[in-house]
């Protein structure tokens, strides 16, 4: 890497767009980037929380924030988001695709419409926003995209098959585009967190679940992700335990791996993760 080279043209007075920014990992990205002097486009459904966050960031750093209330599971709103930012004359130097949610369910009890909504948000919105903002970065020969995947993206997971598959898509999609964009000065990184300390399980109705699991703070996850981005890494897994797990599932038989996942995610099982449907569009967390 040449001396003085940075992934972004610079942080100060440049714009970052963060989806799912109302709390958790998304809000932490906003705080860290504001501290570096970036202006922010904050996108989520809960505009009251975005307004509170924007006020906090202005008080601390005089950060300029553009607040956009949007449900990105609606394809029309994804396109409208890009058009709105373009019409405002905002040049996005860093895109953080963080919004998403999970559905955990047995097949016969699955809400198919909810799964399709999840795939529109986890897969289609990430894909469209990446393809819409990436060409401008390539033309400028600087910029970065952070797509939030999950450690679940490294393996099939029973009872949350579509969710794990969506995160596998994000991981491989990001890695492939990273290779294409690397020599043109643009970096794409897939953030693959494990269990992260957020309000996700409080909202899901299992307030004690996090006490039973090893977890990371959002601060640790985001700080590590930004360091990985500066090193131009294709993906980043917070914590050596999470990294070790992803290695184990790559050397074990796929039949064994998916059968083991049944012990942890079977709905109603005492050791299971959240109940049947867990959203992180609001909480912006990942749970393993």
């Amino acid at each position: 890497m040449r001396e003085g080279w940075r992934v972004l043209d610079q942080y100060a007075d440049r714009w970052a767009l963060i989806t799912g920014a109302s709390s958790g990992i998304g809000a932490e990205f906003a705080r860290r980037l504001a501290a570096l002097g970036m202006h922010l486009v904050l996108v989520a459904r809960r505009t009251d929380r975005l307004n509170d966050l924007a006020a906090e960031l202005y008080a601390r750093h005089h950060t300029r924030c553009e607040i956009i209330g949007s449900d990105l599971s609606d394809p029309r709103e994804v396109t409208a988001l890009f058009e709105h930012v373009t019409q405002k004359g905002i040049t996005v130097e860093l895109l953080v695709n963080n919004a998403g949610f999970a559905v955990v369910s047995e097949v016969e009890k699955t809400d198919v419409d909810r799964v399709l909504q999840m795939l529109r948000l986890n897969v289609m919105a990430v894909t469209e926003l990446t393809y819409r903002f990436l060409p401008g970065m390539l033309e400028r020969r600087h910029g970065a995209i952070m797509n939030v995947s999950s450690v679940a993206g490294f393996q099939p997971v029973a009872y949350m098959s579509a969710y794990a598959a969506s995160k596998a898509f994000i991981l491989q999609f990001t890695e492939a585009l990273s290779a294409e964009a690397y020599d043109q000065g643009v970096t794409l990184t897939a953030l693959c967190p494990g269990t992260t300390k957020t309000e996700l399980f409080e909202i899901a109705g299992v307030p004690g679940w996090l006490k039973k699991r090893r977890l990371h703070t959002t601060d640790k996850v985001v700080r590590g992700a930004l360091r990985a981005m500066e090193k131009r890494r294709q993906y980043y897994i917070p914590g050596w335990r999470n990294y070790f797990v992803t290695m184990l599932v790559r050397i074990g038989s796929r039949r064994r791996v998916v059968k083991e996942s049944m012990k942890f995610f079977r709905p109603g099982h005492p050791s299971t993760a959240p109940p049947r449907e867990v959203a992180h569009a609001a909480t912006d967390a990942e749970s393993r």
Side-chain angles (χ1 to χ4, degrees):
M1 185 175 295
R2 62 184 182 273
E3 185 178 357
W5 189 93
R6 297 185 69 86
V7 169
L8 304 187
D9 176 40
Q10 63 181 50
Y11 286 94
D13 294 323
R14 296 295 188 265
W15 285 89
L17 188 156
I18 306 168
T19 69
S22 56
S23 65
I25 291 174
E28 189 62 35
F29 266 113
R31 293 186 176 98
R32 297 295 300 184
L33 295 171
L36 292 171
M38 296 198 84
H39 307 305
L40 304 173
V41 179
L42 302 175
V43 184
R45 294 173 300 170
R46 299 183 297 182
T47 55
D48 56 335
R49 292 202 175 193
L50 295 182
N51 286 321
D52 290 343
L53 178 60
E56 172 195 331
L57 299 180
Y58 184 80
R60 289 185 178 183
H61 310 292
H62 286 86
T63 306
R64 293 169 58 193
C65 291
E66 181 76 16
I67 303 299
I68 301 177
S70 182
D71 178 0
L72 298 179
S73 66
D74 183 341
R76 295 168 297 182
E77 296 201 27
V78 180
T79 305
L81 169 60
F82 175 76
E83 292 174 347
H84 177 85
V85 171
T86 301
Q87 290 168 4
K88 284 281 187 175
I90 294 173
T91 299
V92 173
E93 183 75 8
L94 171 60
L95 170 64
V96 181
N97 279 314
N98 172 70
F101 69 88
V103 174
V104 181
S105 178
E106 296 164 312
V107 172
E108 60 274 21
K109 298 176 181 178
T110 297
D111 182 339
V112 177
D113 290 335
R114 185 64 170 158
V115 171
L116 294 176
Q117 181 187 20
M118 177 190 70
L119 293 176
R120 288 193 296 271
L121 180 59
N122 292 13
V123 175
M124 299 305 296
V126 171
T127 302
E128 179 172 350
L129 290 176
T130 298
Y131 274 124
R132 290 197 182 278
F133 284 104
L134 182 55
M137 295 179 184
L138 295 174
E139 183 178 355
R140 296 188 299 271
R141 301 190 69 82
H142 55 77
I145 297 176
M146 180 78 67
N147 289 332
V148 178
S149 178
S150 167
V151 292
F154 289 88
Q155 68 174 87
V157 181
Y159 304 112
M160 52 192 307
S161 54
Y163 171 77
S166 74
K167 293 302 182 177
F169 172 88
I170 292 173
L171 174 60
Q172 294 188 33
F173 173 70
T174 304
E175 287 184 293
L177 288 180
S178 175
E180 293 182 43
Y182 190 90
D183 289 339
Q184 299 182 64
V186 177
T187 297
L188 289 91
T189 301
L191 169 58
C192 305
T195 307
T196 305
K197 186 177 181 180
T198 72
E199 64 185 14
L200 185 151
F201 298 106
E202 298 290 333
I203 292 176
V206 280
W209 192 87
L210 284 176
K211 297 178 181 179
K212 305 174 185 178
R213 302 294 191 275
R214 293 182 179 272
L215 52 84
H216 291 112
T217 63
T218 56
D219 176 70
K220 178 180 177 65
V221 169
V222 172
R223 282 190 292 110
L226 291 175
R227 285 196 301 268
M229 184 187 75
E230 283 292 340
K231 294 177 181 178
R232 309 201 72 189
R233 292 175 58 178
Q234 291 183 345
Y235 68 92
Y236 170 65
I237 304 168
W240 69 267
R241 291 179 183 274
N242 288 328
Y243 183 79
F244 182 66
V245 168
T246 66
M247 295 301 294
L248 285 179
V249 302
R250 281 181 268 185
I251 63 177
S253 72
R254 297 186 67 80
R255 177 185 292 271
R256 176 66 180 272
V257 166
V258 73
K259 285 185 69 68
E260 285 295 314
S261 75
M262 296 176 72
K263 298 177 181 179
F264 297 97
F265 295 100
R266 185 190 304 273
H269 190 276
S271 66
T272 195
R276 291 195 177 104
E277 184 179 293
V278 180
H280 80 86
T283 58
D284 310 322
E286 291 294 332
S287 63
R288 285 303 119 254

